[in-house]
Amino acid sequence: MKKADCNILVEKLVSKIRCFGSKKLSYSGRLVLVNSVLTALYSYWINIFVIPVSVLNKLNAICRNYLWDGGADFVRVPMVGWEKVCCPKSEGGLGIRDSFAWNIAAIGKLVWWVYFNPDRLWVKWVNQVYLKGQDWKDYKPSGDLSWGWKSVCKVKDKLDAGYQNGQWLLDVRGYTLRSGYDLIRHKFQNVPWHKQIWNSWSLPKHQFIGWLIAREALMLKDKLFSLGIVPDDDCLLCGKGGENHTHLFQTCEYSRRLLDEVFKILRIALPISNPLQRIADGQFSQVQKGVILSAVSATFYHIWLQRNKARVDGVLQRPEFVRDLILKEMKTRIVVLLSQKTATSDNVWLRSRSLIV
C-alpha cells in the first residue's frame, strides 16, 4: 500500500464533508457525523491494510478540522488536542477512535492468527516463506523483506506487552480489536465529572459545551487578552472581574442570578460554586438527578450563549427571559425521555415544578 493507493479514501472523506452542508451544525452534531459517517468510511481499509502514516495523519486531520470548523481544511485552532479528544469519555475525551491505534489493533489480528491459527492458508504461507521454523515471538524480519510484512512484525512488537507465553492476557476470549486498541491508545486518568456532563437528559449541544467548560477549553477573554487579541479581559456579562471559566460560570453576578432563577423553579438549594458534585451526592432519584443535571447543563450553555451575544451583538437578555428558554428546552426533552414506567413519586416531583402536565 502506497500513499497514492489511498488517495481515493481521502477524497471520499472530503467529498462527504462537502455534501453535509454542515456549517450550521453544532459541535455535537458534527461529533455524531465524525463517529457514525467519517470513521465508518475508512474503518474497512484500516481493518484490512497497513495504512501509510502520512495517510493516517491526513484522515485524522480531516476529522479534526471538520469537528472544530465544519470543513476539511484547517481554519480554526482546535480547543482540545486530538489525543485528548480520542480518549474515552470517562477519561475526559469524546470517544472518537484514533486511526493510528485502530490500525495497529486491527493488524494485531494477523499477529494473533500466526500464534493460534496455523491451519489458515495465509498463516501456512507465512510459515513457509518467512518464519521457516523460527519461533514467532522472537522472530525478526531481515531488511530485504517487504514493507507490509515488516509492518506486521512491528505491530507484533508493539503488542508484546499483552502476551505472556503466547497467550493474550487482556481478554479471556483471546485477541480482540477492542482489547488491542485499549493497549495501544494513549491513556489519561479518569475524570470525576464525565457522568454528570454526558447525562442522557441533557441536550447533546448542552453536553458538548459542558464538556468544554469542564476542560476549561472555551476561548474566553482571559486567553484572548493573553494573546493580544482583545484590549482587556473584563467580563462581558457583569463587567466585574476578569472573564475566565471560574468567574463566568460561578462568580459572575449575571450567571449567579440565572442559576438562582432556575434553582427556584426546581425548588432546590444548591451551592452555585459546585452544583454538579452536590447533585451527584444528593438524595435524588435517577430521574430527578437527570432533570437537575440537564437544568444546570442548559444554564451553562445559555450563559455561554449570552456571553457570545454580548460580544457580537452587544445585547444581553434578562435572566428571567433566559430562564424561560431553559425551561422550555427542558420540558421538550422530558416529554421525549419520560416513559410509562417512571415512578409515581418522580411524576409528582415533575408536576409540582410544572415540568410536565
Side-chain angles (χ1 to χ4, degrees):
M1 293 288 290
K2 298 179 181 179
K3 180 180 177 181
D5 299 326
C6 302
N7 282 341
I8 187 174
L9 183 60
V10 175
E11 291 169 2
K12 279 186 177 182
L13 260 67
V14 174
S15 63
K16 183 64 70 174
I17 287 175
R18 288 171 180 165
C19 293
F20 285 157
S22 53
K23 280 289 185 180
K24 296 183 180 180
L25 282 179
S26 65
Y27 285 126
S28 59
R30 296 202 288 266
L31 174 62
V32 171
L33 290 178
V34 168
N35 275 326
S36 61
V37 179
L38 296 185
T39 56
L41 283 174
Y42 60 75
S43 62
Y44 174 79
W45 286 55
I46 280 182
N47 278 277
I48 300 299
F49 305 110
V50 180
I51 307 297
V53 172
S54 59
V55 177
L56 293 175
N57 274 325
K58 186 64 176 176
L59 296 177
N60 275 344
I62 291 173
C63 292
R64 180 191 65 230
N65 297 339
Y66 175 70
L67 175 66
W68 295 114
D69 196 58
D73 300 320
F74 181 82
V75 178
R76 183 176 299 177
V77 177
M79 291 190 230
V80 181
W82 190 247
E83 199 172 57
K84 295 178 180 178
V85 168
C86 289
C87 67
K89 292 179 178 179
S90 60
E91 297 176 15
L94 295 178
I96 297 175
R97 284 192 306 224
D98 177 52
S99 61
F100 287 100
W102 191 253
N103 193 210
I104 293 172
I107 301 306
K109 291 186 300 182
L110 304 180
V111 177
W112 172 259
W113 289 350
V114 177
Y115 272 122
F116 293 104
N117 289 272
D119 294 332
R120 282 182 176 267
L121 181 60
W122 178 79
V123 177
K124 290 181 179 179
W125 178 81
V126 165
N127 284 319
Q128 182 70 27
V129 176
Y130 292 125
L131 298 185
K132 299 178 181 179
Q134 298 181 62
D135 183 68
W136 175 224
K137 178 177 176 57
D138 301 322
Y139 172 78
K140 300 294 181 183
S142 58
D144 59 341
L145 297 180
S146 69
W147 169 82
W149 174 246
K150 287 190 286 188
S151 298
V152 173
C153 294
K154 288 180 181 178
V155 169
K156 174 180 71 73
D157 295 335
K158 290 179 180 179
L159 296 173
D160 187 61
Y163 286 98
Q164 186 175 14
N165 298 324
Q167 298 293 324
W168 183 249
L169 303 176
L170 306 183
D171 198 308
V172 295
R173 299 168 296 175
Y175 184 83
T176 60
L177 262 69
R178 183 181 296 275
S179 60
Y181 178 79
D182 194 56
L183 177 67
I184 294 297
R185 70 174 180 84
H186 190 91
K187 296 179 178 62
F188 296 89
Q189 289 185 346
N190 287 350
V191 294
W193 42 260
H194 74 278
K195 290 184 178 179
Q196 287 81 43
I197 296 296
W198 303 107
N199 164 51
S200 61
W201 289 84
S202 302
L203 289 172
K205 63 181 181 179
H206 297 171
Q207 293 173 349
F208 198 100
I209 296 300
W211 173 74
L212 289 173
I213 294 171
R215 295 205 66 98
E216 297 190 357
L218 293 174
M219 290 299 291
L220 300 181
K221 289 185 71 175
D222 61 331
K223 295 181 181 178
L224 298 175
F225 179 68
S226 66
L227 296 173
I229 298 175
V230 294
D232 61 71
D233 64 347
D234 296 339
C235 177
L236 292 165
L237 299 183
C238 68
K240 302 176 182 179
E243 185 187 81
N244 53 49
H245 284 80
T246 301
H247 172 81
L248 185 61
F249 298 103
Q250 293 185 19
T251 61
C252 172
E253 288 185 5
Y254 181 91
S255 301
R256 292 175 69 90
R257 281 184 59 195
L258 181 55
L259 280 166
D260 191 51
E261 288 290 333
V262 174
F263 289 164
K264 284 180 181 177
I265 296 296
L266 296 175
R267 301 181 189 176
I268 56 176
L270 294 176
I272 295 177
S273 60
N274 193 4
L276 294 181
Q277 187 59 44
R278 180 64 181 273
I279 295 168
D281 298 337
Q283 299 298 317
F284 302 103
S285 70
Q286 290 300 316
V287 171
Q288 293 168 13
K289 281 184 181 180
V291 172
I292 297 171
L293 285 170
S294 71
V296 175
S297 179
T299 303
F300 284 169
Y301 173 83
H302 280 276
I303 289 172
W304 171 242
L305 202 63
Q306 290 302 313
R307 180 264 180 197
N308 291 338
K309 285 184 178 180
R311 182 187 177 192
V312 177
D313 303 325
V315 175
L316 185 61
Q317 296 170 320
R318 293 182 296 107
E320 295 79 10
F321 178 79
V322 180
R323 175 205 61 196
D324 293 339
L325 293 177
I326 293 171
L327 292 176
K328 183 178 179 181
E329 291 179 345
M330 288 178 59
K331 289 177 181 179
T332 304
R333 187 65 171 174
I334 289 170
V335 169
V336 172
L337 295 181
L338 206 62
S339 69
Q340 295 179 350
K341 297 181 180 179
T342 304
T344 304
S345 59
D346 289 328
N347 282 319
V348 172
W349 188 87
L350 292 169
R351 285 194 184 94
S352 66
R353 288 148 178 83
S354 302
L355 295 176
I356 61 173
V357 179

